[in-house]
Amino acid sequence: MSFVPANSGISKLKPYQPGKPISELERELGLTDIVKLASNENPLGCSDKVKEAVAAEIAEIGRYPDGGGFILKDQIKTQFGFNHDQITLGNGSNDLLEMFARAFVSSSDSVVYSQHAFAVYALVTQAINAQAIEVPAKGFSHDLEAMAAAIQDNTKLVFIANPNNPTGTWFEEAEFEAFMQKVPANVIVVLDEAYVEYFPENFNSLKFLQQYPNLIVSRTLSKCYGLAALRVGFALASVEVTDYLNRIRQPFNVNHLAMVAAVAALKDEDFIARSREVNKAGMAQLEAGFKALGLNYVPSRANFILVDVQADPAATFNGLLKQGVIVRPVGISSHIRVSIGTEAENAKFLSALATVLGLEAKA
Ligand SMILES: *Cc1c(COP(=O)(O)O)cnc(C)c1O
C-alpha cells in the first residue's frame, strides 16, 4: 500500500464478522419471515419495563449522558454488592475487552487465550500488535491447566470465557480456583461471563474478586437482558484495576438511554427468569431435534449450541439462508453455531436443517 500504512498490528487485522442482519438477508433474497439465530440475542427481545423506561427518557437525548454512570453503577452496586470504584461501564462488553487490552498490554507483551475462544480476544490482541498465545482446547473446552502453563514472563493478560462462545462449554469453580492460584499476581485474568445469567447455578465468580486483585469479571446486557442494540456491559474488578480502566475509557462511552434501559433490565428479575425458562426449553427442543437427525452437538450452558452438521459449514449456512434461517459458521470444521430461539423459531430451523442436509428426523 502506498498510502500511510496503519500500525503493523492493524494492517494484519481481519475485522470481526458479525452475524448477518435480518434486513440484509431480506434485501438480498427478497425473503420475509426470516429467523435469525446467529448472534445469541434474546428471542423474547427485551423486558416491557425497559421499553417504558426508555420511552420516558427520550426527551433527554439533547444532553450528554452522565459520564460517571451513577444510576447504572448504583443499580449494579445494589444487585452485586460492589462499590462504584470497582465498576467500569462499557459500550457493550466488547468495548471493555478492548479497554482491558489497551490498559494492560503493550506490543512487547503477550496475551493468552484458548483455541475456539471468542473471536474478539484475538482481534484486540492483534490491534495492539501484542503476541497472541493461543492454547489448544481440550475437546471444545478451555484447558485451564495448559493455559496457566502457557503464561510467559511477558504475559500481561489472559482471556477466559465461561461459558465459552462459540462452543458453549464451561468449567466449574474448583477448576477456576486452581487456575487462579497458578497465575502470577501481575497477570490480569479477564473472566468473560456474557452468558452467566442462563445457568447461574454453575458458580459465583464474584467472590473471587475479593481474593484476586488481578481478576476482572466482565458482564453484558446484550444477551439474556435483551439489550444488544443499546450496547451496555460492565466490568467488576479491584479499585486499582478499575482506576486504570477508567483512565482510558471514553468519557461518554455509555449513552443515556442505554443506562436507563440497563437499570430497568437489571431490576426485572421476572424477565430474566422467563428468558432462562425459554432457553432451557429451547435447548431441550434443539437437542432432541439433533438426536432425531442423528447429529452430534456440544453440550452447552449458554443460549446457543454448536452442532456437527457432518457437512461443509459454509454450504450449510448458505443453504439455511435460502430457507430464511440465519445461523453462524464459526470456523470449527463441520460445525455451525445456532442460537436458541422461541419454540417456533427452533422448529423452523430444525426443519430447514433437515431439508438442507437431506436428512429425515427419526422419532
Ligand atoms: C456476545 C459476547 C460478548 C460481547 O457482547 P457485547 O454485546 O459487546 O456486550 C462478549 N463476550 C462473549 C463471550 C460474547 O459471546
Side-chain angles (χ1 to χ4, degrees):
M1 197 196 297
S2 60
F3 190 61
V4 183
N7 83 43
S8 52
I10 289 177
S11 58
K12 282 179 256 149
L13 195 71
K14 292 206 185 70
Y16 182 76
Q17 292 284 342
K20 198 176 186 66
I22 291 175
S23 54
E24 191 176 303
L25 188 60
E26 281 175 349
R27 277 196 305 274
E28 285 174 3
L29 297 184
L31 292 173
T32 52
D33 202 19
I34 288 164
V35 168
K36 183 186 176 203
L37 301 173
S39 303
N40 306 337
E41 294 139 333
N42 188 330
L44 301 180
C46 70
S47 153
D48 287 338
K49 301 215 168 90
V50 167
K51 292 176 202 165
E52 287 161 24
V54 170
E57 289 290 318
I58 202 86
E60 300 303 318
I61 63 173
R63 297 204 181 276
Y64 280 100
D66 170 15
F70 185 89
I71 55 164
L72 178 50
K73 285 186 182 166
D74 238 28
Q75 182 59 34
I76 293 167
K77 180 183 174 189
T78 306
Q79 222 154 321
F80 302 98
F82 289 83
N83 287 327
H84 291 212
D85 59 3
Q86 290 195 272
I87 303 167
T88 309
L89 303 180
N91 184 32
S93 59
N94 223 293
D95 183 28
L96 293 163
L97 297 173
E98 199 181 308
M99 278 189 236
F100 304 151
R102 280 175 47 227
F104 300 108
V105 186
S106 61
S107 58
S108 54
D109 299 326
S110 65
V111 174
V112 170
Y113 52 83
S114 175
Q115 180 192 18
H116 306 322
F118 187 42
V120 169
Y121 307 157
L123 291 181
V124 299
T125 303
Q126 176 68 42
I128 48 179
N129 209 17
Q131 180 197 349
I133 301 178
E134 188 184 283
V135 179
K138 200 164 61 182
F140 291 96
S141 308
H142 282 31
D143 184 345
L144 290 184
E145 252 183 69
M147 288 177 76
I151 293 172
Q152 307 294 311
D153 288 343
N154 72 345
T155 301
K156 289 289 165 65
L157 195 148
V158 183
F159 281 116
I160 308 179
N162 192 43
N164 181 46
N165 173 19
T167 60
T169 52
W170 68 94
F171 48 81
E172 312 276 349
E173 178 169 335
E175 287 172 81
F176 181 66
E177 196 163 12
F179 169 80
M180 284 306 294
Q181 278 167 8
K182 286 183 217 147
V183 175
N186 62 343
V187 175
I188 297 284
V189 174
V190 173
L191 181 62
D192 179 350
E193 294 190 317
Y195 303 94
V196 72
E197 297 82 14
Y198 285 106
F199 291 85
E201 64 272 31
N202 192 20
F203 76 93
N204 179 9
S205 61
L206 301 183
K207 68 174 186 215
F208 291 108
L209 287 165
Q210 283 283 352
Q211 202 177 336
Y212 297 104
N214 58 329
L215 175 64
I216 304 176
V217 175
S218 165
R219 301 267 175 105
T220 180
L221 279 285
S222 298
K223 306 287 162 54
C224 196
Y225 290 103
L227 304 186
L230 285 175
R231 320 299 306 125
V232 199
F234 62 93
L236 303 170
S238 59
V239 174
E240 295 87 332
V241 162
T242 304
D243 175 46
Y244 285 122
L245 294 174
N246 278 287
R247 291 183 201 189
I248 58 160
R249 182 180 63 80
Q250 283 185 28
F252 303 109
N253 64 331
V254 184
N255 74 73
H256 181 64
L257 295 181
M259 281 192 274
V260 166
V263 170
L266 286 166
K267 281 183 179 162
D268 192 349
E269 287 172 10
D270 290 347
F271 179 79
I272 293 301
R274 195 149 47 86
S275 301
R276 211 176 269 152
E277 287 314 306
V278 167
N279 191 61
K280 283 220 165 90
M283 179 97 77
Q285 183 187 0
L286 288 182
E287 288 177 346
F290 295 147
K291 280 182 191 144
L293 292 172
L295 300 176
N296 291 324
Y297 58 86
V298 180
S300 165
R301 277 203 189 162
N303 66 343
F304 56 83
I305 309 188
L306 190 67
V307 58
D308 184 355
V309 293
Q310 298 162 18
D312 176 42
T316 308
F317 168 75
N318 286 318
L320 286 168
L321 284 185
K322 294 202 182 94
Q323 305 280 322
V325 179
I326 313 175
V327 296
R328 192 74 166 261
V330 287
I332 301 180
S333 65
S334 75
H335 289 70
I336 57 166
R337 189 194 70 191
V338 58
S339 307
I340 294 165
T342 61
E343 189 179 356
E345 290 171 333
N346 298 332
K348 177 166 173 168
F349 159 70
L350 285 170
S351 107
L353 185 65
T355 304
V356 168
L357 298 176
L359 297 172
E360 227 167 295
K362 292 185 207 72

